[in-house]
Amino acid sequence: VYVDSSSIRKAMGGGDSLPGAQKTFPRCMVAFRRLTLRFLRCITACCDCCLNVFDVVIRIVGPVFIALALSIIGFVTYTFFTVIFPYHVEVGWHPILLVNEFLLSCFLVVNLLYNYAMSICTPAGQPPAYPDIVDDDCEQGVEAVKPKRCSKCDRLKPARTHHCSVCKRCVMKMDHHCPWINNCVGWNNYRYFCLFLLYLALSCLYVAISGYTLFYQSLFYSRKRRRHHLEWFDMQCVSFSWLIAVSIFAALCCLGGFHLYLVLTNQTTIEFHGNSRRKSEAKRRGDRWRNPYDLGCSRNFEQVFGPNKFKHFIWMMPYMAKRPTGDGMYFPTVCAMET
């Protein structure tokens, strides 16, 4: 005997309950998805708003960071020339040593301030407007691949160019936006930024070595045991300057070492993160990935500091050295060099 299950459900009065449940469940899922999407959109909008506020704050406090940096440099320089150097004269250093110390100190301070000023005042490099390039190509009858266009500033976006959310413009070969110079670090001022880090590290090391004796005496010698009397204020200036110099030098060992690696491998800070991800993905696939702009340490060095020989150290004085070749729009690659 065959008994239909639907007839049994109708006889029990529950024939329409199952289709109603089947219709209600999809509606609940659709409503849940819509609420989830709205929630995610609200979170995204809040994050974008916070990032915009952060960018504005970074732009506003930039001059404050510059004033703070100049104040620290001025304080340590004042301490060296008014306390440490006169102390070396008082203890009887040889005149030749004193002259060399004075000249070396002036050389470090002048180059430090020069490269810092150039890092601040030199524009990082902005690509040309997009319509100008397209019109020139059309006039010349060039049929090439359509260049990339920035959707935010409506300018040409060549390789290695990124849009800075703080400066609100595209920067050629952008490395990062530095609040200490209130400027982007890019194609035009990257060598000044690297030289500023170099001279800052050398100056801090110089102050730490030359002021170590006075710093040691200020901590472990009583006033009666000191061979040369110094005022309390002078000793505090020496102690504070020595701690600042050592702290900055320790920080620059990490930051400067990282940028030295970037220079020798022809990468920027932005490209470093992307290249690390691509390298990891290629390693998981069993492939080998190479940075297309890595031309070797010597050529990579010339890409930043210009065609100047490293052993001549003329690259340390950018006002005398040759400028880097190129325009920031096109960069040689490994494939192009091999062909």
Side-chain angles (χ1 to χ4, degrees), residues 192-240:
Y192 297 118
F193 177 77
C194 292
L195 289 174
F196 166 67
L197 296 181
L198 175 62
Y199 281 109
L200 183 59
L202 292 177
S203 300
C204 290
L205 181 63
Y206 187 71
V207 171
I209 294 175
S210 59
Y212 174 74
T213 302
L214 288 177
F215 174 75
Y216 185 82
Q217 290 182 8
S218 66
L219 291 182
F220 302 103
Y221 280 78
S222 62
R223 184 177 294 272
K224 295 181 180 179
R225 294 179 59 190
R226 293 173 187 165
R227 295 176 56 187
H228 301 275
H229 176 70
L230 289 177
E231 298 294 335
W232 179 86
F233 178 75
D234 294 339
M235 297 304 298
Q236 297 304 314
C237 289
V238 171
S239 301
F240 194 41

Side-chain angles (χ1 to χ4, degrees), residues 239-258:
S239 301
F240 194 41
S241 298
W242 193 88
L243 292 174
I244 290 176
V246 172
S247 301
I248 294 178
F249 180 77
L252 287 176
C253 286
C254 301
L255 180 61
F258 175 67

Side-chain angles (χ1 to χ4, degrees), residues 35-83:
L35 290 175
T36 304
L37 289 176
R38 290 179 181 177
F39 177 75
L40 292 177
R41 289 173 183 172
C42 292
I43 294 297
T44 303
C46 292
C47 292
D48 292 338
C49 182
C50 293
L51 290 176
N52 292 332
V53 172
F54 177 77
D55 293 338
V56 173
V57 171
I58 290 296
R59 190 65 178 175
I60 293 175
V61 302
V64 178
F65 278 91
I66 294 176
L68 178 60
L70 292 176
S71 300
I72 295 174
I73 294 173
F75 172 74
V76 177
T77 304
Y78 167 82
T79 302
F80 178 84
F81 283 105
T82 60
V83 181

